[in-house]
């Protein structure tokens, strides 16, 4: 009988216990596994690889995938020092992630998220589509090259459940007369659309010239294959309306906002509006701005939900008594808690409790300190980790490799990388010194124990022996350093841990040295007394 080592791999696979189970049962087991485990399973055998990469399995796995909140902080300069773009994942247990998302470069801007795919705006001539769970990336040509005044908020990303198509949209500012590259940053009459896997961008004319400032200030959301954003409507009570764009039929429609008249407080400034998504419903958040600081809010925060799209019927979902300082978006609610930012540089989650829509912010939890990133620049998306593949789109005509260096290869991030390297060297040096300190204390302990027999007084010898047992320092375990880059919050915590550990090591070694001196003094004194 052939041994296991001499059997062909195919025969061993066929005899595998799991592969002996019915195919439907194997699939049900795999549907419960996270993406990271499934990616490792693809290398086990051809049968598993074929099952996990099957488009139908990918779709089924996506339907039950647990949701997480992606908090994105764009690249910005604080006091002249550049800080790279970063993202924090908040899981179902409201625990922030530790490691940086590898597909996000230091200069990237997040435009949209759908089915585990991110669309990232780069300062080069390409957009980056990435699966943040698998690490797969695809670069696409922008619709207009070297466009002056272009902004990442003018791009959006969505998926239509019926056509099964992913589409990127771009609000193109109206051209400036006499210029081929400059476009108006206040109005647009064209939406450029690209279907992932297609050959080119297409121009879709809007029903009328619309405000780009509304898009920039209020945001846009994609819900069930429909992109929605606010437009100006000076006749309406709120002076705004919702414009929708169906990603499948590529048609426009207008939704009127509630007829309710707001009761603004006398000391407040102008009222602001944001379009947001909560539980896959179109929602409008509104609050008064501070007169002196337009980005800061005062008074109540109201959130209205579109109950019926056909009848254009709205209902007041939340009437929060104390409004936050900043409203993140496009998703501000995760697992029945609202995510809000405060001017103290911290991000909080609150439970929303109350009756008759009058809501109180209850059970506050501090999620993270995002300093030095600015609070009004943060974006929040509800996302999932998925197996959606991008390699099937890489042969399209507009898929390109970046022509210039990007990401951490850029020279301007060398100083940042050097600083991270210095911290790693400090950790390495600290671990070495801790090892040397323990070895030195153990050597001293052995030497002192060798001198104990020379002391004839039992009481003195026992007292010194007890002190010798306390010489060896009790230091924390030397955990291996992570190979992956830490995100901004974890980096800050890591630096604080390093500082605390250095201080702790210094005090422990100081106490060990003083104890050694005291023991040596006691031994010498005891020996001298015996000689006397």
């Amino acid at each position: 009988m052939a041994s296991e080592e001499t059997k062909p791999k195919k025969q061993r696979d066929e005899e595998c216990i799991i592969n002996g189970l019915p195919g439907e049962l194997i699939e049900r087991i795999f549907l419960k596994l996270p993406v990271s485990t499934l990616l490792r399973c693809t290398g086990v055998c051809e049968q598993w690889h074929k099952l996990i990469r099957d488009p139908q399995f990918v779709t089924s796995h996506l339907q039950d995938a647990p949701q997480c909140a992606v908090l994105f902080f764009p690249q910005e300069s604080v006091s002249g020092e550049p800080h790279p773009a970063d993202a924090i994942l908040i899981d179902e247990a409201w625990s922030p992630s530790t490691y940086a998302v590898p597909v996000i470069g230091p200069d990237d801007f997040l435009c949209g998220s759908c089915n585990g795919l991110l669309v990232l705006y780069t300062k080069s001539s390409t957009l980056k589509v990435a699966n943040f769970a698998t690490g797969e990336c695809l670069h696409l040509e922008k619709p207009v090259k070297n466009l002056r005044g272009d902004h990442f908020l003018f791009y959006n990303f969505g998926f239509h459940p019926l056509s099964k198509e992913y589409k990127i949209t771009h609000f193109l500012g109206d051209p400036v007369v006499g210029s081929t590259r400059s476009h108006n940053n206040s109005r647009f009459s064209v939406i450029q659309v690209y279907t992932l896997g297609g050959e080119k961008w297409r121009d879709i004319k809007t029903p009328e010239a619309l405000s780009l400032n509304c898009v920039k200030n209020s945001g846009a959301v994609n819900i069930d294959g429909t992109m929605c954003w606010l437009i100006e409507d000076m006749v309406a009570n709120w002076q705004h309306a919702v414009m929708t764009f169906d990603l499948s039929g590529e048609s426009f429609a207008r939704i009127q906002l509630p007829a309710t008249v707001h009761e603004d407080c006398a000391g407040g400034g102008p009222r602001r509006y944001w379009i947001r998504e909560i539980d896959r419903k179109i929602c409008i958040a509104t609050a008064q701005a501070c007169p002196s600081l337009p980005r800061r809010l005062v008074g109540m925060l109201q959130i209205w939900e579109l109950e019926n799209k056909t009848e254009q019927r709205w209902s007041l979902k939340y009437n929060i008594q104390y409004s936050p300082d900043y409203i993140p978006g496009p998703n501000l609610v995760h697992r029945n808690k609202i995510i809000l930012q405060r001017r103290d540089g911290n991000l909080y989650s609150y439970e929303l409790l109350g009756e008759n829509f009058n809501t109180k912010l209850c059970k506050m939890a501090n999620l993270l300190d995002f300093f030095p990133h600015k609070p009004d620049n943060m974006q929040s998306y509800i996302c999932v980790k998925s197996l959606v593949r991008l390699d099937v789109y890489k042969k399209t005509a507009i898929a390109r490799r970046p022509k210039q260096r990007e990401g951490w290869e850029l020279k301007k991030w060398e100083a940042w990388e050097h600083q991270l390297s210095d911290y790693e060297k400090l950790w390495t040096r600290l671990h070495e010194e801790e090892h040397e300190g323990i070895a030195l204390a153990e050597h001293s302990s052995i030497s002192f124990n060798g001198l104990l027999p020379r002391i004839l007084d039992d009481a003195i010898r026992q007292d010194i022996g007890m002190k010798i047992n306390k010489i060896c320092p009790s230091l924390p375990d030397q955990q291996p350093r992570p190979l992956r880059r830490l995100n901004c919050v974890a980096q800050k915590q890591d630096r604080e841990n390093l500082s605390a550990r250095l201080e702790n090591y210094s005090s422990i070694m100081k106490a060990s040295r003083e104890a050694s001196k005291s023991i040596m003094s006691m031994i010498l004194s005891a020996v001298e007394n015996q000689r006397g």
Side-chain angles (χ1 to χ4, degrees), residues 464-502:
I464 294 174
M466 293 176 62
K467 292 182 179 296
I468 292 174
N469 293 334
K470 298 179 180 180
I471 288 179
C472 291
S474 177
L475 296 172
D477 294 335
Q478 296 183 11
Q479 300 293 336
R481 298 290 296 159
L483 298 178
R484 293 169 57 189
R485 184 191 302 274
L486 299 174
N487 59 38
C488 58
V489 175
Q491 283 177 17
K492 187 185 303 182
Q493 185 63 51
D494 189 60
R495 290 192 290 268
E496 293 174 357
N497 291 341
L498 175 62
S499 177
R501 190 150 171 169
L502 280 168

Side-chain angles (χ1 to χ4, degrees), residues 17-122:
I17 296 176
I18 296 180
N19 286 341
L21 298 174
E24 292 183 1
L25 183 56
I26 295 175
E27 183 174 346
R28 288 175 61 184
I29 294 172
F30 282 177
L31 286 174
K32 301 296 182 181
L33 299 178
V35 171
S36 57
T37 302
L38 290 173
L39 290 175
R40 291 195 295 270
C41 289
T42 56
V44 173
C45 65
E46 185 177 349
Q47 179 184 348
W48 289 12
H49 184 277
K50 185 177 180 180
L51 171 62
I52 295 170
R53 290 302 191 184
D54 181 78
Q56 184 60 46
F57 176 84
V58 171
T59 302
S60 300
H61 186 270
L62 184 61
Q63 292 174 352
D64 297 325
Q67 292 184 338
C68 63
V70 178
L71 310 178
F72 179 80
F73 302 92
Q75 179 266 128
E76 54 193 337
S77 178
V78 180
S79 301
E81 181 184 356
H83 290 269
D86 213 336
I88 313 294
L89 305 182
I90 305 294
D91 62 17
E92 290 185 296
W94 286 91
S95 177
S97 62
T98 302
Y99 300 113
V101 179
V103 297
I104 295 178
D107 289 300
D108 291 346
F109 293 87
L110 184 57
C111 305
S113 171
C114 181
N115 292 347
L117 300 182
L118 308 177
V119 170
L120 297 154
Y121 178 92
T122 71

Side-chain angles (χ1 to χ4, degrees), residues 254-309:
R254 181 191 290 249
I255 300 175
Q256 296 298 329
L257 294 180
T260 303
V261 178
H262 298 294
E263 297 181 3
D264 292 341
C265 58
R271 180 166 287 275
R272 296 189 61 189
Y273 300 89
W274 301 266
I275 190 164
R276 295 293 184 258
E277 175 192 347
I278 300 177
D279 298 330
R280 305 206 62 76
K281 292 285 188 70
I282 300 173
C283 292
I284 302 297
T286 177
Q288 277 185 277
C290 176
S292 58
L293 299 169
R295 291 190 173 185
R296 195 166 291 171
L297 308 179
V298 296
M300 286 190 175
L301 170 68
Q302 289 188 347
I303 298 179
W304 292 76
E305 179 183 271
L306 181 60
E307 279 190 341
N308 189 297
K309 187 175 179 180

Side-chain angles (χ1 to χ4, degrees), residues 357-400:
F357 311 113
N358 291 318
T359 309
K360 294 182 179 180
L361 299 176
C362 302
K363 295 184 179 180
M364 179 188 75
N366 190 345
L367 291 179
L368 51 92
D369 174 7
F370 54 82
F371 180 84
H373 290 285
K374 299 172 185 176
D376 54 334
N377 284 343
M378 192 200 85
Q379 298 167 266
S380 62
Y381 287 86
I382 301 302
C383 197
V384 296
K385 295 182 179 180
S386 76
L387 293 162
V388 175
R389 301 173 65 177
L390 292 172
D391 55 353
V392 295
Y393 305 115
K394 287 186 177 179
K395 294 183 180 180
T396 59
I398 71 168
R400 292 286 185 273

Side-chain angles (χ1 to χ4, degrees), residues 244-257:
T244 67
F245 178 69
D246 182 77
L247 294 181
S248 179
E250 297 184 345
S251 58
F252 296 89
R254 181 191 290 249
I255 300 175
Q256 296 298 329
L257 294 180

Side-chain angles (χ1 to χ4, degrees), residues 306-496:
L306 181 60
E307 279 190 341
N308 189 297
K309 187 175 179 180
T310 304
E311 299 176 4
Q312 300 191 13
R313 186 174 69 248
W314 298 80
S315 65
L316 182 60
K317 189 176 180 68
Y318 300 118
N319 193 26
I320 301 173
Q321 295 180 6
Y322 300 100
S323 66
D325 297 317
Y326 303 98
I327 303 291
N331 302 111
L332 72 163
V333 173
H334 175 50
R335 296 189 63 79
N336 300 320
K337 291 184 181 180
I338 192 168
I339 302 172
L340 299 176
Q341 299 162 276
R342 295 295 185 186
R343 70 191 70 174
D344 60 2
N346 286 282
L347 188 72
Y348 299 92
S349 69
Y350 299 86
E351 286 190 11
L352 297 170
L353 300 177
E355 295 180 357
N356 299 325
F357 311 113
N358 291 318
T359 309
K360 294 182 179 180
L361 299 176
C362 302
K363 295 184 179 180
M364 179 188 75
N366 190 345
L367 291 179
L368 51 92
D369 174 7
F370 54 82
F371 180 84
H373 290 285
K374 299 172 185 176
D376 54 334
N377 284 343
M378 192 200 85
Q379 298 167 266
S380 62
Y381 287 86
I382 301 302
C383 197
V384 296
K385 295 182 179 180
S386 76
L387 293 162
V388 175
R389 301 173 65 177
L390 292 172
D391 55 353
V392 295
Y393 305 115
K394 287 186 177 179
K395 294 183 180 180
T396 59
I398 71 168
R400 292 286 185 273
R401 286 187 177 182
K403 295 180 180 179
Q404 63 261 39
R405 297 173 68 187
E406 63 172 12
W408 293 102
E409 298 176 351
L410 293 174
K411 188 174 182 180
K412 74 178 196 176
W413 296 112
E414 287 180 355
W416 185 271
E417 289 278 67
H418 183 70
Q419 185 181 36
L420 294 180
S421 177
D422 286 345
Y423 278 113
E424 291 302 318
K425 290 176 181 177
L426 282 173
W427 272 110
T428 301
R429 181 56 185 159
L430 174 60
H431 287 163
E432 291 174 353
E433 290 186 359
E434 287 178 345
H435 181 77
E436 293 171 359
I438 292 173
L440 180 62
E442 290 176 348
H443 178 74
S444 299
S445 178
I446 293 171
S447 300
F448 289 147
N449 282 318
L451 296 175
L452 281 182
R454 300 185 183 183
I455 300 174
L456 303 179
D457 190 302
D458 292 339
I460 296 176
R461 186 171 64 250
Q462 186 176 3
D463 186 25
I464 294 174
M466 293 176 62
K467 292 182 179 296
I468 292 174
N469 293 334
K470 298 179 180 180
I471 288 179
C472 291
S474 177
L475 296 172
D477 294 335
Q478 296 183 11
Q479 300 293 336
R481 298 290 296 159
L483 298 178
R484 293 169 57 189
R485 184 191 302 274
L486 299 174
N487 59 38
C488 58
V489 175
Q491 283 177 17
K492 187 185 303 182
Q493 185 63 51
D494 189 60
R495 290 192 290 268
E496 293 174 357

